[in-house]
Amino acid sequence: MSQNRWIRIEQLFAEALTQPATARGAFLERSCGSDTDLRRELDELLRSHDTSGVLDSAVRAADCVTLQPSLAAGTRLGSWRVDTLIGRGGMGEVYAAARADAAFDQRAALKLLRYEAAGQMDRFHAERRILARLEHPGIARLLDGGMTADGRPYTVMEYVEGHSLTDYCRAHSSTLRERLALFAQVCDAVAFAHRNLVIHRDLKPDNMLVDDQGTVKLLDFGIAKLLDAAASVGEGDNTMAPFTPDYAAPEQLTGQPVTTATDIYALGVLLFELLSAERPLRMRGLPSTQAMQLLLDRTAPSLFRTVKANSAGPIAARLLAGDLDAIVAKCLRKEPAHRYETVNALKRDIESHLRNEPVAAREGARLYVFGRLLRRYRWAVAGIALLIVTLAAGLAGTIWQARRAQTQAVRANAVRDFLVSLFEIAEADKPRDLRPTVEEIVEQGGDRILADRAMPQETKADLLGVLSRVALSMGAQTQAQELTQALLVLSDQLYESTDSRWISARHLRALSRIDRAEFAEATTLLEPLQDDLLRRGDTQGVEALLTLARAMSEQGGRVDEALALQREITALAMKDAQAHPRSALQAMIAEANHFGGLHRFKESLELSERALTFWKSRALPLSSEVLWLHSSIGNSASALGDAVRGEAAYRDAIALSERLYKRPHQDTAWFVGLLGSYLVALGRYDEAEPYVQRGLTMRRDLLGEANPSTLFAVSALARLRASQNRTDEALVVLSEAVAICEKTALKHQACVRLLQIRGQVYATKSEFDAAETDLNAAIALQRQISGEDGAMVASQFRALAHMQRLGGRYEKAIATVERALTLFEKAGGGYAGEVADARYERARANLELGKHQSALDEITEVEALHSKQYPDDFIIRVRMLSLKARALSRLNRIDEARATAATALTLVDKAQGLDPKMIAGLKLLAATGEGY
């Protein structure tokens, strides 16, 4: 293929990618005409682009060889002792180091050329020469250098402890003046480098660290260029070197000469990001042709308009209009000659803006200069300015303002009156037990909104959205269903499908469907929006997509699709992690939880730990997501048998929750109860007691007796009492809670749970009739909640079968299992763990009926499937292997029984909360081959 032919194909391919999928065919038809070979090449390229390959997904850490430092801790290089590896880049490794002699204490960062970067030796030496000539308080100093025994050069630099420039500003919520002051420090350091004939060529926030005193240090001159002192200002280096695409100037991508103006372009990108939390042009991940086309064809967007369109920016748009907009625009000119001539000129404009003086970027605009003079002498000319503004505005402006103010006042008054009337429902002077619950307040508030015909429709939609969120967060399922349905209908009448409020209504409705385990309905609401949400890629889109992935994962037969979507969401969120780190963190946590739901605990733990590192490295503020991240780590670690890590994570969740909320909060109550339940599972009942009791007390105080979260805490206390062989006390606690469900007519999963646990406690007392009555009541209630005989009802049938087997009602247990399996199959698959549990119950019942071969055949098949699908679910695997060993023993296959029992015993340490009788039985089987 000729070069011209390939260039033509590459150009058309890049253009085709910018077209909507539905318009690509027409575009190719126009572009290719009768050239069928050209069309075929493009079709093949587009198919390959749209198909995910092995390189399109991130490699899991578990699949990779862990990168090892080439220097062991304690290695001595000259006067320095190496401690730990703290970073790795394209050509070097960076270690924390300290003086090895006793002369004085000093910390440093030691940069060493990597083995595989031997070809970068010249660049490494160049960086040392550059640093040697740069002595400036804003540049990390060179302290020492040398060669290792194996011939690799190393550089010892000042150790800088701090955060990247953008992370620092975000963590400290820096004001406009504070951000500009930090930027001025950067300008000083870069200007000093330029005076010493050094171009940095890779200026970006990660190369600018800010310490606790607010001092900026410029780092990483690894690709910097030493200019010939005899060269003219217009000359520069035109050799290609590594760079960061999002901060690269056009001349770096096109191979044109690189000058000091290249660094000025990067400073413009940096200033744009500091003031807007966004980058002007995003090129990372784009093909080279598209990246160059984007830089060369598009002018960088206006800073002011960008911030105005994004209300979540760190600085108000009105503060960026005019001066700063013009300053950034001048830095980001495509032609180097049209940018600032020097970094000092850029800094002078920043300082002029802060002093309300004219800036060079807007030089020549007479009205602008005049306006600046007025601002400088505003008190002297205030009366004249007021007169001019009044005359210019005129009567029409006054009328318009009045009408606008009147409209806003009407809407504000409507919202205020509604909120006041809503909270008056509580009537604080009433006795506590007579005050309405949150659910009742929400329900009455919804009724008032819908009945108020005078309320503006948009105000009504806003209030329905607020109440819907309250109902969902409080677990008020019935109210959430009614409110989200009303909101959905109203949003269809008011908004276009591209409006964020229309999308929000569907998202809330989907969340209410998920609460009722109506996963297919939730998927139907959001799946048609999937492509648009992925294209938007904003915070709202990511949150809605996360809900869609959750619904798909719970919906039968769509686990793989859900996992693929979840990974796509995480990748999408990570692309914008710099501007929206919280969305990225939410996506990472959701992916970890997704794997946890699949019982793939090892992967879940790896992802959770990665998310925790992300949170710490970005210095993000403490939030509720971080609390639940620690809970997820505890769940995965405990499931993998790491009791120490699991317990520590739960305790961390409690401590962080108390730090975040400062006062008693329902999240803290949940984590306290979770730790108590975990200690119960470990058999540490005395230690568990105060946590279980405290969790319950907190929820009663915060949420009331009848709240579902409180009722879940009651069930935890009952399990503790039953584990302590205080079954009568457990039954009293459970019966009181069940009575609350009946009195309030509460239809919630918490009430199902209470009936289920009470049935289990009755079974431990051999009161199997009472146990079966409770389990049947749980099934009936679950049907009312779910609305149909779906997977949730199937799960209750499986629990009933377990109870029937314990009571020796083996035939009934088998029949109940059949009903459960039929419902799981009807649900469409995706419930492999539940199905395995049900088949386990059938195998045990058959074993007790003397159908040993049938029991062995079934449990062998189930154990093989389950260990393949859920290799980290050790508790279930031990139970299944135990049953398999017993079946082999009863068939007199003694050697196989002993081997199977021995295999199960190797997993016991990883499976916490097992019945001690089972463990004792396995030991007997492993030793003698005799069953129990």
Side-chain angles (χ1 to χ4, degrees):
M1 183 181 296
S2 68
Q3 183 178 7
N4 289 337
R5 177 74 165 180
W6 173 247
I7 292 173
R8 171 69 171 156
I9 290 174
E10 193 174 27
Q11 288 174 341
L12 287 176
F13 173 63
E15 291 177 29
L17 290 179
T18 65
Q19 303 288 325
T22 55
R24 283 182 186 171
F27 170 78
L28 293 176
E29 193 71 31
R30 292 193 306 272
S31 303
C32 299
S34 60
D35 192 338
T36 56
D37 289 339
L38 178 61
R39 176 65 184 268
R40 185 166 56 252
E41 290 283 358
L42 289 168
D43 284 338
E44 186 173 344
L45 283 171
L46 289 168
R47 277 196 302 273
S48 298
H49 179 272
D50 293 336
T51 303
S52 296
V54 67
L55 297 180
D56 291 318
S57 58
V59 181
R60 297 197 312 270
D63 297 332
C64 302
V65 178
T66 303
L67 294 175
Q68 297 294 332
S70 56
L71 294 181
T75 301
R76 180 164 177 165
L77 295 177
S79 301
W80 305 91
R81 184 185 66 254
V82 171
D83 290 336
T84 57
L85 179 69
I86 58 176
R88 181 181 291 240
M91 66 177 180
E93 299 173 332
V94 181
Y95 296 84
R99 292 283 297 199
D101 53 38
F104 53 87
D105 293 330
Q106 186 176 18
R107 296 181 69 195
L110 187 147
K111 184 173 182 179
L112 172 70
L113 185 71
R114 292 165 50 189
Y115 288 118
E116 58 269 34
Q120 304 290 327
M121 185 81 75
D122 290 343
R123 182 169 287 149
F124 196 93
H125 285 304
E127 182 181 17
R128 290 206 299 195
R129 290 196 300 274
I130 288 169
L131 287 171
R133 63 196 296 174
L134 297 180
E135 284 286 336
H136 187 273
I139 298 175
R141 292 181 297 117
L142 175 68
L143 302 177
D144 199 355
M147 299 286 285
T148 62
D150 56 13
R152 289 184 292 156
Y154 67 86
T155 301
V156 183
M157 297 169 291
E158 173 186 3
Y159 187 88
V160 181
E161 192 165 5
H163 302 292
S164 77
L165 181 57
T166 49
D167 287 346
Y168 177 90
C169 289
R170 186 184 304 111
H172 290 77
S173 300
S174 301
T175 65
L176 176 60
R177 281 188 171 272
E178 290 168 343
R179 290 169 190 258
L180 293 178
L182 291 170
F183 181 75
Q185 289 189 51
V186 175
C187 289
D188 283 339
V190 176
F192 179 81
H194 287 183
R195 288 197 297 274
N196 284 271
L197 304 176
V198 175
I199 307 173
H200 192 285
R201 299 202 293 188
D202 195 24
L203 293 171
K204 56 185 178 181
D206 289 344
N207 288 338
M208 303 164 189
L209 295 187
V210 187
D211 62 22
D212 291 338
Q213 286 72 47
T215 302
V216 181
K217 291 281 188 179
L218 191 58
L219 311 174
D220 199 352
F221 282 78
I223 66 169
K225 175 65 180 176
L226 269 172
L227 294 175
D228 183 357
S232 66
V233 175
E235 294 176 339
D237 172 42
N238 62 357
T239 59
M240 294 297 288
F243 53 78
T244 305
D246 284 351
Y247 299 89
E251 59 267 25
Q252 286 178 282
L253 275 175
T254 57
Q256 298 299 310
V258 174
T259 67
T260 54
T262 302
D263 281 352
I264 290 172
Y265 184 95
L267 288 172
V269 177
L270 174 67
L271 185 56
F272 191 108
E273 186 173 3
L274 270 179
L275 303 182
S276 70
E278 297 185 26
R279 294 174 202 153
L281 300 172
R282 289 191 174 275
M283 289 164 289
R284 184 176 294 277
L286 290 178
S288 59
T289 53
Q290 282 185 271
M292 281 192 286
Q293 190 174 17
L294 186 64
L295 265 179
L296 298 176
D297 293 350
R298 281 189 56 189
T299 301
S302 159
L303 171 66
F304 168 70
R305 286 197 294 270
T306 299
V307 175
K308 188 176 181 181
N310 178 16
S311 59
I315 305 297
R318 60 182 174 79
L319 299 177
L320 306 179
D323 285 355
L324 293 174
D325 201 17
I327 290 170
V328 170
K330 188 173 179 68
C331 291
L332 297 179
R333 297 278 168 80
K334 286 181 282 190
E335 308 85 353
H338 291 174
R339 300 172 200 152
Y340 286 98
E341 290 186 3
T342 65
V343 178
N344 282 332
L346 165 60
K347 183 186 175 187
R348 281 196 299 271
D349 259 5
I350 295 292
E351 292 171 340
S352 295
H353 166 74
L354 292 174
R355 292 194 299 266
N356 288 330
E357 296 175 354
V359 300
R362 299 178 68 184
E363 193 171 4
R366 294 184 179 180
L367 287 176
Y368 161 72
V369 174
F370 180 67
R372 275 297 179 188
L373 291 172
L374 289 180
R375 288 188 64 181
R376 290 187 69 189
Y377 305 103
R378 53 189 176 276
W379 298 116
V381 296
I384 298 173
L386 180 61
L387 178 60
I388 293 172
V389 170
T390 303
L391 292 174
L395 181 60
T398 304
I399 295 173
W400 179 80
Q401 289 285 359
R403 287 178 177 173
R404 183 181 180 190
Q406 184 179 15
T407 301
Q408 292 177 340
V410 169
R411 187 169 179 178
N413 287 336
V415 173
R416 181 202 62 197
D417 293 343
F418 172 78
L419 292 175
V420 170
S421 66
L422 186 61
F423 285 103
E424 282 177 347
I425 297 172
E427 294 183 70
D429 57 336
K430 283 185 178 180
R432 185 182 182 89
D433 57 346
L434 294 180
R435 296 179 197 170
T437 64
V438 173
E439 289 85 350
E440 290 171 337
I441 293 175
V442 170
E443 183 176 5
Q444 292 182 44
D447 291 342
R448 290 190 180 190
I449 294 171
L450 296 175
D452 190 343
R453 298 190 179 187
M455 183 182 292
Q457 292 292 80
E458 289 198 356
T459 304
K460 186 175 291 189
D462 289 344
L463 288 169
L464 283 173
V466 171
L467 284 185
S468 294
R469 288 183 176 86
V470 172
L472 288 166
S473 66
M474 299 303 296
Q477 288 187 349
T478 302
Q479 291 82 1
Q481 290 294 313
E482 295 172 355
L483 291 167
T484 55
Q485 178 59 30
L487 176 61
L488 189 68
V489 172
L490 191 56
S491 70
D492 282 339
Q493 299 170 4
L494 293 174
Y495 312 124
E496 298 293 331
S497 60
T498 55
D499 194 300
S500 61
R501 292 167 293 184
W502 186 87
I503 295 171
S504 177
R506 262 149 186 73
H507 186 195
L508 291 170
R509 182 61 175 162
L511 287 170
S512 72
R513 291 290 199 175
I514 288 174
D515 266 3
R516 291 173 59 92
E518 296 170 349
F519 304 114
E521 291 80 358
T523 301
T524 301
L525 282 163
L526 294 178
E527 194 167 15
L529 312 181
Q530 180 176 331
D531 291 341
D532 287 339
L533 294 175
L534 285 169
R535 276 194 294 270
R536 285 165 58 112
D538 57 8
T539 302
Q540 182 190 36
V542 168
E543 290 178 353
L545 286 167
L546 289 172
T547 299
L548 172 59
R550 177 185 169 193
M552 289 171 64
S553 68
E554 297 286 355
Q555 189 180 351
R558 306 197 66 180
V559 174
D560 292 337
E561 286 181 77
L563 183 56
L565 175 59
Q566 179 61 65
R567 285 173 167 165
E568 193 171 1
I569 297 167
T570 304
L572 176 67
M574 293 305 294
K575 285 182 181 178
D576 207 26
Q578 194 71 24
H580 299 290
R582 184 172 179 181
S583 291
L585 181 64
Q586 287 174 328
M588 295 172 76
I589 294 172
E591 187 173 357
N593 289 336
H594 193 103
F595 278 107
L598 294 173
H599 291 207
R600 292 165 63 172
F601 300 116
K602 185 177 181 182
E603 291 160 291
S604 178
L605 184 58
E606 289 171 353
L607 287 165
S608 297
E609 295 282 12
R610 197 178 306 162
L612 186 60
T613 300
F614 177 87
W615 173 65
K616 291 179 178 178
S617 66
R618 299 301 177 102
L620 297 177
L622 184 60
S623 63
S624 60
E625 291 95 347
V626 179
L627 308 181
W628 293 101
L629 174 59
H630 282 82
S631 173
S632 178
I633 291 173
N635 295 340
S636 296
S638 59
L640 290 170
D642 189 347
V644 174
R645 181 74 180 95
E647 182 178 344
Y650 293 139
R651 292 186 184 276
D652 286 344
I654 295 171
L656 290 172
S657 184
E658 290 173 337
R659 192 175 97 195
L660 175 65
Y661 297 120
K662 310 297 184 187
R663 62 187 67 185
H665 190 275
Q666 58 183 342
D667 282 357
T668 311
W670 179 270
F671 297 130
V672 168
L674 186 61
L675 175 59
S677 295
Y678 182 56
L679 293 173
V680 171
L682 294 176
R684 293 157 57 181
Y685 306 133
D686 290 342
E687 293 178 66
E689 177 87 30
Y691 291 101
V692 173
Q693 289 281 16
R694 181 186 166 204
L696 176 57
T697 300
M698 288 179 70
R699 292 192 218 189
R700 279 176 172 159
D701 292 342
L702 291 167
L703 305 171
E705 271 311 332
N707 187 274
S709 183
T710 305
L711 297 174
F712 275 123
V714 171
S715 65
L717 176 61
R719 290 183 70 87
L720 171 63
R721 292 287 178 258
S723 300
Q724 294 170 318
N725 294 320
R726 296 159 64 179
T727 52
D728 289 338
E729 293 178 52
L731 286 174
V732 170
V733 169
L734 287 163
S735 296
E736 290 174 350
V738 169
I740 291 173
C741 287
E742 293 170 349
K743 178 182 177 181
T744 58
L746 179 62
K747 294 176 174 55
H748 193 277
Q749 211 62 42
C751 298
V752 176
R753 183 72 172 152
L754 290 167
L755 288 167
Q756 192 181 83
I757 293 176
R758 191 169 70 173
Q760 293 171 351
V761 175
Y762 275 131
T764 61
K765 293 168 63 71
S766 298
E767 298 179 20
F768 295 108
D769 288 339
E772 195 160 339
T773 298
D774 272 350
L775 266 295
N776 278 314
I779 292 171
L781 182 56
Q782 187 68 68
R783 280 176 167 154
Q784 293 180 51
I785 295 171
S786 303
E788 60 178 8
D789 280 356
M792 300 292 283
V793 176
S795 296
Q796 299 306 321
F797 273 119
R798 183 200 56 76
L800 175 60
H802 172 74
M803 216 62 57
Q804 290 168 333
R805 179 184 58 76
L806 290 178
R809 305 169 183 184
Y810 305 123
E811 297 288 357
K812 289 183 69 174
I814 291 172
T816 303
V817 167
E818 300 288 354
R819 295 183 69 180
L821 292 174
T822 298
L823 292 179
F824 280 129
E825 184 177 359
K826 179 183 174 184
Y831 300 96
E834 296 272 20
V835 169
D837 279 346
R839 294 184 65 186
Y840 171 85
E841 292 297 338
R842 183 165 65 184
R844 284 205 65 173
N846 276 323
L847 186 70
E848 300 303 329
L849 288 171
K851 300 177 183 179
H852 304 147
Q853 190 61 51
S854 295
L856 177 61
D857 291 343
E858 180 146 44
I859 202 61
T860 299
E861 180 183 350
V862 174
E863 192 274 329
L865 287 172
H866 194 272
S867 61
K868 181 179 179 181
Q869 291 172 321
Y870 305 122
D872 302 329
D873 196 343
F874 300 112
I875 294 177
I876 302 299
R877 288 187 65 192
V878 170
R879 289 174 54 206
M880 290 181 175
L881 288 170
S882 173
L883 182 59
K884 182 178 179 180
R886 291 174 62 191
L888 287 166
S889 175
R890 296 194 185 185
L891 289 168
N892 291 320
R893 293 160 63 173
I894 303 302
D895 291 341
E896 294 174 77
R898 294 179 63 187
T900 302
T903 300
L905 287 172
T906 63
L907 304 175
V908 164
D909 289 340
K910 299 179 180 180
Q912 299 158 12
L914 288 172
D915 185 349
K917 294 180 182 177
M918 177 184 291
I919 298 174
L922 281 171
K923 290 178 179 178
L924 176 64
L925 275 165
T928 67
E930 296 181 1
Y932 62 97

